[in-house]
Amino acid sequence: MGPLVLLLLVDRALAAPLGKELCPMPPGALRALSNRGTLVLEAAMKSALLSLEGALSEHARRLQECEECVLCLFGNCGNRTRECVPSELPLGSLPSCEAVLQAQAIPEQPAQNWALSKACAPYRRLCSGQEMSPDSCIRLMVSHCQLRLQECRLESDMDYLNTVADQSDPGLCGHRGVPAPNATMAKAKIVGGSKAWPGAWPWLVSVRLNGELMCGGVLVGDAWVLTAAHCFTGSRNELAWSVVLGDYDLTKPDEGERVVPVSRILSHPKFNPKTFHNDVALLELSSPVTPSAWVTPVCLPERPMELGTGMPCYIIGWGSLYEDGPGADVVMEAQVPILAQDICRGALGRQLFTSAMFCAGFLSGGIDSCQGDSGGPLTCWDPLSERYVLYGITSWGDGCGERGKPGVYTRVAAFTEWVHQQMEKSPSSREPTCFELLALAQMPPDRQRVELSHLCAFYTQPCSPSASPAACAHAADEKCKAKRQQCELRSYAQTLLEFLRRVEEFFRTQIDFSFFTHSLPQFMEQVYHHLFPPRARQDSREQVAEPEAVVATGGGRESLQPDARKMQKREAQTLPRR
């Protein structure tokens, strides 16, 4: 009996009407059918096992081929399983911009590298038909992938520009160039604030000492940054300072980010480090910047004016998330109202609060600036001019976000005239910077003498009218020579410090070099201050008399010292950031 007959009998049995008896079969026939069915099932099982083994073999072969399908193109991709992508794509097809941009946006580096490798896997076809080593193939794929990424970024930027085509030129002061994304930014406490989106505040800059975040700052011109004067009480060596424009995420480079050295530090001449009166400084950059969607100056107040009580303004920076806590990795923002002057004096003390300050925040606490926010801007939206105006510079506070202790800010409107005077000075009326004097060494001798004579002409200006021209020229040459030597010493100290920092990085796990990297700058400052004493300050009679600041402690009062808790500086307390 063949298998076909067996199937017909089974089919007929299944198709029999219910309630009717099946035809009885002889026992011998049943035994024969049972034996035959067993053989058929065994044969079917063997065939199925063979098919399964074939499928497993084919799957293993495909897995082996798959290892060469997606290559890790960008260094460390982590311990991830290699994946295959369809190879039936047309020869001219490119990775989608959505895929490469999404991959680039992944914060974790290994995951980002692997996602970019998968997105750019179609470029593997460029290696087929050519005798190329695996390394050469990877280099070819990487170059095309990077070009595709730049192309997609450009298309994305064009989309941004089309989106804000009806807005004002981002190069104008006080206008944002990058619109807010559709997605809501994740909330995260910075004494009651939240994350800003990249490019939200294009005038915010980070002020760095030896490459590490020290304070915030705000761009007020193509080559000028306004910040707090107390940020520079520890080091005034301009060669050690730099400004990062377009900075957002401190843990990685940002699009539009640019590092510019500081060529001149101009603290307000009447800044009092004990009371923080006149806590404002102006930084001149070594080269002007070109405004863009990521870098735009803020507007300065046009005239001294009183801020409206309750006026909503924004404070931004990378400051601590809470008092003495860790700093933020990305720009944080918070909206705070302006408080009346009498409320500020009552909350902070009349002796501590001067007319060059104002406070902002909530008396209930919870929203405030903190350490690391010093020098950052407090900007308010002006509905008349439809632009953001800089009204305050983060200065100091009694704690961070404490009840009844709002943050204190330098009143920018009180210093607008001084800022404009410094920015509009002619080059001949300014003392030469170390960048200008040190750059002479790169010039030919003839041009070097001409430029040196031009720079040293500044020191002839304060010469006494009764002195002879020869005496004035000699005194100017001596002052210029001393300034140049001071700059050379600072340059040597900075070079040595950079070398020691590299050594510290190399031996970080073996030897503690913190003495060199933290104590050496202070030591060198003492050396060249001893060798080159500062010029005599103006007579004390020309200084504005300021009341002695006192702090209430319990039932008594004590003189305020620079390190007193009441006058808590808001620059970064610890240098390591990246």
Side-chain angles (χ1 to χ4, degrees):
M1 183 180 297
L4 181 58
V5 176
L6 177 63
L7 292 175
L8 289 174
L9 289 173
V10 173
D11 181 64
R12 181 169 298 178
L14 294 175
L18 293 176
K20 291 188 178 181
E21 269 187 40
L22 296 178
C23 297
M25 299 185 68
L30 289 175
R31 285 194 297 270
L33 285 174
S34 177
N35 294 334
R36 190 62 177 176
T38 302
L39 293 176
V40 171
L41 291 177
E42 289 178 353
M45 184 173 292
K46 288 181 180 179
S47 177
L49 289 174
L50 290 175
S51 300
L52 181 59
E53 290 178 358
L56 292 175
S57 177
E58 177 65 16
H59 182 65
R61 184 185 66 81
R62 288 181 178 272
L63 284 179
Q64 185 176 3
E65 292 178 353
C66 185
E67 293 182 355
E68 300 178 356
C69 195
V70 175
L71 302 175
C72 181
L73 305 179
F74 300 94
N76 178 24
C77 290
N79 298 323
R80 288 171 171 78
T81 304
R82 299 182 181 274
E83 302 178 14
C84 282
V85 294
S87 59
E88 291 78 13
L89 295 174
L91 185 60
S93 64
L94 298 174
S96 68
C97 283
E98 181 181 4
V100 296
L101 291 178
Q102 286 181 353
Q104 182 69 16
I106 297 175
E108 295 80 9
Q109 195 63 43
Q112 180 187 117
N113 293 340
W114 179 239
L116 277 176
S117 299
K118 290 194 295 182
C120 294
Y123 287 124
R124 181 64 186 275
R125 293 189 304 273
L126 300 175
C127 305
S128 60
Q130 303 185 35
E131 295 182 359
M132 300 181 65
S133 65
D135 291 341
S136 300
C137 180
I138 289 178
R139 287 195 295 268
L140 179 63
M141 294 176 66
V142 167
S143 62
H144 281 78
C145 188
Q146 290 174 339
L147 289 175
R148 181 58 175 168
L149 180 59
Q150 294 297 328
E151 180 183 359
C152 293
R153 281 179 173 174
L154 181 60
E155 291 180 4
S156 177
D157 291 342
M158 292 301 295
D159 291 340
Y160 268 130
L161 294 177
N162 292 334
T163 303
V164 296
D166 57 340
Q167 297 184 4
S168 302
D169 183 358
L172 298 176
C173 73
H175 288 283
R176 294 176 171 182
V178 179
N182 294 330
T184 303
M185 297 300 293
K187 298 294 182 181
K189 287 284 185 182
I190 179 175
V191 198
S194 60
K195 291 183 181 179
W197 73 83
W201 307 102
W203 41 84
L204 176 66
V205 305
S206 60
V207 180
R208 297 169 179 265
L209 175 62
N210 295 314
E212 301 293 345
L213 176 69
M214 179 59 68
C215 283
V218 54
L219 187 69
V220 295
D222 60 351
W224 296 94
V225 167
L226 203 62
T227 184
H230 75 255
C231 297
F232 307 96
T233 54
S235 172
R236 294 189 57 84
N237 179 8
E238 61 270 23
L239 299 179
W241 292 89
S242 62
V243 163
V244 183
L245 305 161
D247 205 357
Y248 174 74
D249 191 335
L250 298 179
T251 64
K252 63 179 182 179
D254 299 299
E255 185 174 0
E257 179 179 309
R258 179 184 173 188
V259 181
V260 183
V262 173
S263 64
R264 195 189 308 271
I265 301 173
L266 299 172
S267 296
H268 194 275
K270 295 182 180 179
F271 165 62
N272 189 327
K274 293 185 178 181
T275 64
F276 284 56
H277 187 55
N278 303 318
D279 188 14
V280 63
L282 197 59
L283 307 180
E284 184 179 6
L285 306 181
S286 61
S287 61
V289 299
T290 303
S292 67
W294 306 98
V295 178
T296 302
V298 73
C299 300
L300 291 171
E302 295 180 355
R303 62 189 182 280
M305 57 181 295
E306 284 295 327
L307 297 176
T309 303
M311 184 177 183
C313 300
Y314 290 90
I315 52 176
I316 50 180
W318 295 271
S320 299
L321 306 178
Y322 49 87
E323 185 176 357
D324 297 325
D329 288 332
V330 299
V331 176
M332 309 296 288
E333 64 180 16
Q335 190 177 33
V336 292
I338 304 299
L339 300 181
Q341 292 292 88
D342 57 344
I343 294 178
C344 297
R345 292 190 181 96
L348 300 165
R350 293 183 177 274
Q351 293 82 4
L352 297 177
F353 198 81
T354 70
S355 59
M357 307 172 185
F358 70 92
C359 66
F362 299 88
L363 294 179
S364 58
I367 299 180
D368 196 8
S369 53
C370 203
Q371 295 100 340
D373 290 323
S374 282
L378 181 145
T379 53
C380 309
W381 176 254
D382 183 2
L384 297 178
S385 61
E386 295 185 345
R387 58 183 182 176
Y388 283 94
V389 179
L390 178 68
Y391 285 112
I393 293 292
T394 304
S395 180
W396 64 277
D398 186 357
C400 299
E402 293 187 10
R403 186 180 183 86
K405 303 295 182 181
V408 183
Y409 302 85
T410 301
R411 185 183 297 275
V412 175
F415 303 95
T416 304
E417 183 178 357
W418 175 78
V419 171
H420 284 300
Q421 288 177 353
Q422 302 305 317
M423 294 169 57
E424 295 170 359
K425 278 186 176 181
S426 62
S428 60
S429 62
R430 294 179 181 153
E431 185 178 13
T433 66
C434 286
F435 279 91
E436 294 171 331
L437 292 172
L438 295 176
L440 298 175
Q442 308 299 326
M443 299 180 181
D446 294 340
R447 185 183 174 189
Q448 185 177 143
R449 285 191 292 270
V450 174
E451 290 296 328
L452 180 61
S453 176
H454 175 72
L455 293 176
C456 292
F458 165 83
Y459 296 101
T460 62
Q461 297 178 5
C463 188
S464 174
S466 60
S468 64
C472 288
H474 178 73
D477 290 341
E478 290 298 318
K479 292 179 181 179
C480 192
K481 181 180 178 180
K483 173 68 174 181
R484 193 174 184 183
Q485 290 177 344
Q486 182 188 49
C487 292
E488 290 174 350
L489 180 58
R490 288 185 170 184
S491 177
Y492 296 150
Q494 194 63 26
T495 302
L496 178 59
L497 181 61
E498 290 299 325
F499 170 75
L500 291 176
R501 285 186 176 276
R502 294 194 186 100
V503 173
E504 178 188 16
E505 186 69 24
F506 186 75
F507 292 103
R508 186 178 298 275
T509 58
Q510 302 180 31
I511 304 175
D512 183 9
F513 276 82
S514 59
F515 168 79
F516 297 99
T517 56
H518 294 137
S519 302
L520 182 66
Q522 300 177 3
F523 171 72
M524 296 307 297
E525 283 284 336
Q526 295 175 1
V527 169
Y528 60 69
H529 276 304
H530 176 74
L531 296 177
F532 308 100
R535 290 178 294 179
R537 298 185 178 182
Q538 296 179 353
D539 190 88
S540 60
R541 290 172 298 179
E542 299 178 5
Q543 303 289 339
V544 176
E546 297 172 326
E548 178 179 322
V550 294
V551 178
T553 56
R557 303 169 72 85
E558 63 182 11
S559 299
L560 178 68
Q561 298 300 323
D563 59 348
R565 189 180 72 89
K566 291 289 183 181
M567 298 296 290
Q568 184 183 59
K569 296 181 181 181
R570 296 208 163 178
E571 80 270 26
Q573 299 297 310
T574 55
L575 294 183
R577 171 61 53 198
R578 290 188 181 274

